[in-house]
Short mmCIF file of all heavy atoms in Angstrom, two decimals:
data_model
loop_
_atom_site.label_atom_id
_atom_site.label_comp_id
_atom_site.label_asym_id
_atom_site.label_seq_id
_atom_site.Cartn_x
_atom_site.Cartn_y
_atom_site.Cartn_z
N THR A 606 -16.40 8.76 14.07
CA THR A 606 -17.42 8.49 13.06
C THR A 606 -17.16 7.17 12.35
O THR A 606 -18.11 6.44 12.02
CB THR A 606 -17.48 9.64 12.04
OG1 THR A 606 -17.64 10.89 12.74
CG2 THR A 606 -18.65 9.47 11.08
N ALA A 607 -15.89 6.86 12.11
CA ALA A 607 -15.56 5.57 11.50
C ALA A 607 -16.02 4.42 12.40
O ALA A 607 -16.59 3.42 11.92
CB ALA A 607 -14.06 5.48 11.26
N GLU A 608 -15.80 4.56 13.70
CA GLU A 608 -16.26 3.54 14.64
C GLU A 608 -17.79 3.45 14.64
O GLU A 608 -18.37 2.35 14.68
CB GLU A 608 -15.77 3.87 16.05
CG GLU A 608 -14.26 3.86 16.20
CD GLU A 608 -13.80 4.46 17.52
OE1 GLU A 608 -14.67 4.67 18.41
OE2 GLU A 608 -12.60 4.74 17.67
N LEU A 609 -18.44 4.61 14.58
CA LEU A 609 -19.91 4.66 14.56
C LEU A 609 -20.46 4.00 13.30
O LEU A 609 -21.48 3.30 13.35
CB LEU A 609 -20.37 6.11 14.66
CG LEU A 609 -21.88 6.37 14.71
CD1 LEU A 609 -22.51 5.62 15.87
CD2 LEU A 609 -22.14 7.88 14.81
N MET A 610 -19.80 4.20 12.17
CA MET A 610 -20.25 3.58 10.93
C MET A 610 -20.12 2.06 11.00
O MET A 610 -20.95 1.33 10.44
CB MET A 610 -19.49 4.13 9.73
CG MET A 610 -19.96 5.52 9.31
SD MET A 610 -19.22 6.05 7.75
CE MET A 610 -19.93 4.86 6.59
N ASP A 611 -19.08 1.58 11.66
CA ASP A 611 -18.95 0.13 11.86
C ASP A 611 -20.16 -0.41 12.62
O ASP A 611 -20.74 -1.44 12.25
CB ASP A 611 -17.67 -0.20 12.63
CG ASP A 611 -16.44 -0.17 11.75
OD1 ASP A 611 -16.58 -0.31 10.52
OD2 ASP A 611 -15.33 -0.01 12.29
N LEU A 612 -20.53 0.28 13.69
CA LEU A 612 -21.70 -0.13 14.48
C LEU A 612 -22.97 -0.05 13.65
O LEU A 612 -23.84 -0.94 13.72
CB LEU A 612 -21.83 0.75 15.72
CG LEU A 612 -20.72 0.64 16.77
CD1 LEU A 612 -20.93 1.67 17.88
CD2 LEU A 612 -20.67 -0.77 17.36
N ALA A 613 -23.07 1.02 12.84
CA ALA A 613 -24.27 1.22 12.04
C ALA A 613 -24.44 0.13 11.00
O ALA A 613 -25.54 -0.37 10.76
CB ALA A 613 -24.23 2.60 11.37
N GLN A 614 -23.34 -0.26 10.36
CA GLN A 614 -23.45 -1.30 9.33
C GLN A 614 -23.87 -2.64 9.93
O GLN A 614 -24.53 -3.44 9.26
CB GLN A 614 -22.13 -1.44 8.58
CG GLN A 614 -21.81 -0.28 7.66
CD GLN A 614 -22.69 -0.20 6.41
OE1 GLN A 614 -22.30 0.37 5.40
NE2 GLN A 614 -23.89 -0.74 6.43
N ASP A 615 -23.52 -2.88 11.19
CA ASP A 615 -23.95 -4.10 11.86
C ASP A 615 -25.40 -4.00 12.33
O ASP A 615 -26.12 -5.02 12.34
CB ASP A 615 -23.06 -4.39 13.07
CG ASP A 615 -21.66 -4.82 12.67
OD1 ASP A 615 -21.49 -5.31 11.53
OD2 ASP A 615 -20.74 -4.67 13.49
N ALA A 616 -25.83 -2.79 12.68
CA ALA A 616 -27.15 -2.63 13.30
C ALA A 616 -28.26 -2.35 12.29
O ALA A 616 -29.43 -2.67 12.56
CB ALA A 616 -27.10 -1.50 14.32
N LEU A 617 -27.92 -1.77 11.15
CA LEU A 617 -28.95 -1.36 10.19
C LEU A 617 -29.07 -2.35 9.04
O LEU A 617 -28.07 -2.91 8.60
CB LEU A 617 -28.63 0.04 9.65
CG LEU A 617 -28.50 1.15 10.71
CD1 LEU A 617 -28.12 2.47 10.07
CD2 LEU A 617 -29.80 1.29 11.50
N PRO A 618 -30.27 -2.54 8.52
CA PRO A 618 -30.50 -3.57 7.50
C PRO A 618 -30.26 -3.09 6.07
O PRO A 618 -30.79 -3.67 5.13
CB PRO A 618 -31.98 -3.91 7.70
CG PRO A 618 -32.59 -2.62 8.13
CD PRO A 618 -31.54 -1.94 8.99
N TYR A 619 -29.47 -2.06 5.90
CA TYR A 619 -29.20 -1.54 4.55
C TYR A 619 -27.77 -0.98 4.51
O TYR A 619 -27.22 -0.60 5.54
CB TYR A 619 -30.21 -0.45 4.17
CG TYR A 619 -30.41 0.63 5.22
CD1 TYR A 619 -29.48 1.65 5.41
CD2 TYR A 619 -31.54 0.62 6.03
CE1 TYR A 619 -29.68 2.63 6.35
CE2 TYR A 619 -31.74 1.59 6.99
CZ TYR A 619 -30.81 2.60 7.14
OH TYR A 619 -30.99 3.58 8.10
N PRO A 620 -27.19 -0.94 3.30
CA PRO A 620 -25.83 -0.38 3.18
C PRO A 620 -25.85 1.14 3.27
O PRO A 620 -26.87 1.77 2.97
CB PRO A 620 -25.39 -0.85 1.79
CG PRO A 620 -26.66 -1.01 1.03
CD PRO A 620 -27.68 -1.48 2.03
N LEU A 621 -24.74 1.71 3.68
CA LEU A 621 -24.61 3.16 3.81
C LEU A 621 -23.59 3.66 2.80
O LEU A 621 -22.59 3.01 2.52
CB LEU A 621 -24.15 3.52 5.22
CG LEU A 621 -25.14 3.20 6.34
CD1 LEU A 621 -24.45 3.27 7.69
CD2 LEU A 621 -26.35 4.12 6.31
N THR A 622 -23.83 4.84 2.26
CA THR A 622 -22.89 5.44 1.33
C THR A 622 -21.55 5.69 2.01
O THR A 622 -21.51 6.16 3.16
CB THR A 622 -23.42 6.76 0.75
OG1 THR A 622 -22.38 7.40 -0.02
CG2 THR A 622 -23.87 7.72 1.83
N PRO A 623 -20.44 5.40 1.35
CA PRO A 623 -19.13 5.69 1.94
C PRO A 623 -18.94 7.16 2.28
O PRO A 623 -18.19 7.50 3.20
CB PRO A 623 -18.15 5.25 0.85
CG PRO A 623 -18.90 4.24 0.03
CD PRO A 623 -20.33 4.72 0.04
N ASN A 624 -19.62 8.05 1.54
CA ASN A 624 -19.50 9.48 1.81
C ASN A 624 -20.01 9.87 3.20
O ASN A 624 -19.70 10.94 3.70
CB ASN A 624 -20.24 10.30 0.75
CG ASN A 624 -19.63 10.15 -0.63
OD1 ASN A 624 -18.43 9.97 -0.77
ND2 ASN A 624 -20.46 10.22 -1.65
N LEU A 625 -20.81 8.99 3.81
CA LEU A 625 -21.35 9.28 5.13
C LEU A 625 -20.24 9.46 6.17
O LEU A 625 -20.42 10.18 7.15
CB LEU A 625 -22.31 8.17 5.57
CG LEU A 625 -23.04 8.39 6.90
CD1 LEU A 625 -23.94 9.62 6.83
CD2 LEU A 625 -23.86 7.16 7.27
N LEU A 626 -19.11 8.82 5.95
CA LEU A 626 -17.98 9.00 6.88
C LEU A 626 -17.68 10.48 7.07
O LEU A 626 -17.49 10.95 8.20
CB LEU A 626 -16.73 8.29 6.34
CG LEU A 626 -15.42 8.60 7.10
CD1 LEU A 626 -15.46 8.00 8.50
CD2 LEU A 626 -14.22 8.10 6.33
N LEU A 627 -17.67 11.23 5.98
CA LEU A 627 -17.30 12.65 6.06
C LEU A 627 -18.50 13.54 6.34
O LEU A 627 -18.39 14.50 7.10
CB LEU A 627 -16.60 13.06 4.76
CG LEU A 627 -15.33 12.27 4.45
CD1 LEU A 627 -14.64 12.82 3.21
CD2 LEU A 627 -14.37 12.30 5.63
N THR A 628 -19.66 13.26 5.74
CA THR A 628 -20.82 14.12 5.99
C THR A 628 -21.30 14.00 7.43
O THR A 628 -21.68 14.99 8.06
CB THR A 628 -21.96 13.80 5.02
OG1 THR A 628 -22.34 12.42 5.13
CG2 THR A 628 -21.56 14.09 3.59
N LEU A 629 -21.24 12.79 7.99
CA LEU A 629 -21.65 12.61 9.38
C LEU A 629 -20.61 13.20 10.33
O LEU A 629 -20.95 13.81 11.35
CB LEU A 629 -21.89 11.14 9.69
CG LEU A 629 -22.35 10.80 11.12
CD1 LEU A 629 -23.58 11.60 11.51
CD2 LEU A 629 -22.62 9.30 11.25
N ALA A 630 -19.32 13.04 10.01
CA ALA A 630 -18.27 13.67 10.82
C ALA A 630 -18.42 15.18 10.82
O ALA A 630 -18.24 15.84 11.85
CB ALA A 630 -16.89 13.27 10.30
N ASP A 631 -18.79 15.72 9.68
CA ASP A 631 -19.01 17.17 9.59
C ASP A 631 -20.22 17.57 10.43
O ASP A 631 -20.19 18.59 11.13
CB ASP A 631 -19.21 17.57 8.13
CG ASP A 631 -19.42 19.06 7.95
OD1 ASP A 631 -18.47 19.82 8.19
OD2 ASP A 631 -20.55 19.47 7.59
N HIS A 632 -21.28 16.77 10.37
CA HIS A 632 -22.48 17.06 11.16
C HIS A 632 -22.14 17.05 12.66
O HIS A 632 -22.56 17.95 13.41
CB HIS A 632 -23.55 16.01 10.87
CG HIS A 632 -24.78 16.15 11.70
ND1 HIS A 632 -25.85 16.94 11.32
CD2 HIS A 632 -25.11 15.63 12.91
CE1 HIS A 632 -26.78 16.89 12.26
NE2 HIS A 632 -26.36 16.10 13.23
N ILE A 633 -21.39 16.05 13.10
CA ILE A 633 -21.03 15.95 14.52
C ILE A 633 -20.12 17.11 14.93
O ILE A 633 -20.28 17.69 16.01
CB ILE A 633 -20.36 14.59 14.79
CG1 ILE A 633 -21.39 13.46 14.63
CG2 ILE A 633 -19.75 14.55 16.20
CD1 ILE A 633 -20.78 12.07 14.65
N THR A 634 -19.16 17.46 14.07
CA THR A 634 -18.27 18.59 14.36
C THR A 634 -19.07 19.87 14.53
O THR A 634 -18.82 20.67 15.45
CB THR A 634 -17.26 18.76 13.22
OG1 THR A 634 -16.46 17.57 13.11
CG2 THR A 634 -16.33 19.94 13.46
N PHE A 635 -20.05 20.08 13.64
CA PHE A 635 -20.88 21.28 13.69
C PHE A 635 -21.75 21.28 14.95
O PHE A 635 -21.96 22.32 15.58
CB PHE A 635 -21.74 21.36 12.43
CG PHE A 635 -22.38 22.71 12.20
CD1 PHE A 635 -21.72 23.88 12.51
CD2 PHE A 635 -23.65 22.78 11.66
CE1 PHE A 635 -22.31 25.11 12.29
CE2 PHE A 635 -24.25 24.01 11.43
CZ PHE A 635 -23.58 25.18 11.75
N ALA A 636 -22.25 20.10 15.35
CA ALA A 636 -23.06 19.99 16.57
C ALA A 636 -22.23 20.36 17.80
O ALA A 636 -22.70 21.09 18.68
CB ALA A 636 -23.62 18.58 16.70
N ILE A 637 -21.00 19.86 17.87
CA ILE A 637 -20.10 20.19 18.98
C ILE A 637 -19.79 21.69 19.00
O ILE A 637 -19.79 22.33 20.06
CB ILE A 637 -18.81 19.36 18.89
CG1 ILE A 637 -19.11 17.87 19.12
CG2 ILE A 637 -17.77 19.86 19.89
CD1 ILE A 637 -17.93 16.95 18.86
N LYS A 638 -19.58 22.25 17.83
CA LYS A 638 -19.29 23.69 17.72
C LYS A 638 -20.48 24.51 18.21
O LYS A 638 -20.31 25.50 18.93
CB LYS A 638 -18.96 24.04 16.27
CG LYS A 638 -18.60 25.50 16.02
CD LYS A 638 -18.15 25.67 14.56
CE LYS A 638 -17.69 27.11 14.29
NZ LYS A 638 -18.83 28.06 14.27
N ARG A 639 -21.69 24.10 17.83
CA ARG A 639 -22.89 24.83 18.26
C ARG A 639 -23.01 24.82 19.78
O ARG A 639 -23.36 25.83 20.40
CB ARG A 639 -24.15 24.23 17.64
CG ARG A 639 -24.29 24.48 16.15
CD ARG A 639 -25.74 24.27 15.71
NE ARG A 639 -26.32 23.04 16.19
CZ ARG A 639 -26.26 21.87 15.58
NH1 ARG A 639 -25.63 21.79 14.42
NH2 ARG A 639 -26.83 20.79 16.09
N VAL A 640 -22.74 23.66 20.38
CA VAL A 640 -22.83 23.56 21.85
C VAL A 640 -21.85 24.54 22.50
O VAL A 640 -22.20 25.26 23.44
CB VAL A 640 -22.53 22.12 22.31
CG1 VAL A 640 -22.36 22.08 23.83
CG2 VAL A 640 -23.65 21.19 21.90
N LYS A 641 -20.63 24.58 22.00
CA LYS A 641 -19.61 25.45 22.58
C LYS A 641 -19.95 26.93 22.40
O LYS A 641 -19.52 27.76 23.18
CB LYS A 641 -18.24 25.13 21.97
CG LYS A 641 -17.72 23.75 22.37
CD LYS A 641 -16.37 23.45 21.76
CE LYS A 641 -15.84 22.11 22.23
NZ LYS A 641 -14.53 21.77 21.61
N GLU A 642 -20.74 27.23 21.35
CA GLU A 642 -21.13 28.62 21.10
C GLU A 642 -22.47 28.96 21.73
O GLU A 642 -22.99 30.06 21.56
CB GLU A 642 -21.18 28.88 19.59
CG GLU A 642 -19.81 28.83 18.93
CD GLU A 642 -19.87 29.04 17.42
OE1 GLU A 642 -21.00 29.08 16.89
OE2 GLU A 642 -18.80 29.16 16.81
N GLY A 643 -23.05 28.00 22.45
CA GLY A 643 -24.32 28.25 23.12
C GLY A 643 -25.52 28.26 22.22
O GLY A 643 -26.56 28.85 22.56
N ILE A 644 -25.42 27.63 21.05
CA ILE A 644 -26.54 27.57 20.11
C ILE A 644 -27.23 26.22 20.26
O ILE A 644 -26.63 25.18 20.01
CB ILE A 644 -26.06 27.76 18.65
CG1 ILE A 644 -25.39 29.13 18.49
CG2 ILE A 644 -27.22 27.62 17.68
CD1 ILE A 644 -24.76 29.34 17.11
N TYR A 645 -28.48 26.26 20.67
CA TYR A 645 -29.25 25.02 20.85
C TYR A 645 -30.39 25.01 19.86
O TYR A 645 -31.23 25.93 19.83
CB TYR A 645 -29.79 24.92 22.27
CG TYR A 645 -30.85 23.86 22.44
CD1 TYR A 645 -30.61 22.54 22.06
CD2 TYR A 645 -32.10 24.18 22.97
CE1 TYR A 645 -31.58 21.56 22.21
CE2 TYR A 645 -33.07 23.21 23.13
CZ TYR A 645 -32.80 21.91 22.74
OH TYR A 645 -33.77 20.95 22.88
N ILE A 646 -30.43 24.00 19.02
CA ILE A 646 -31.50 23.85 18.04
C ILE A 646 -32.32 22.63 18.42
O ILE A 646 -31.86 21.50 18.30
CB ILE A 646 -30.94 23.72 16.61
CG1 ILE A 646 -30.19 25.00 16.22
CG2 ILE A 646 -32.05 23.44 15.61
CD1 ILE A 646 -29.59 24.98 14.84
#
Side-chain angles (χ1 to χ4, degrees):
T606 306
E608 296 169 12
L609 182 57
M610 283 189 66
D611 281 339
L612 294 175
Q614 289 289 203
D615 290 337
L617 302 178
Y619 48 77
L621 295 165
T622 172
N624 295 328
L625 185 62
L626 171 69
L627 300 185
T628 58
L629 181 53
D631 181 68
H632 176 89
I633 292 170
T634 299
F635 194 37
I637 293 172
K638 182 174 183 288
R639 289 199 312 271
V640 169
K641 292 180 177 178
E642 293 178 353
I644 299 174
Y645 166 55
I646 297 179

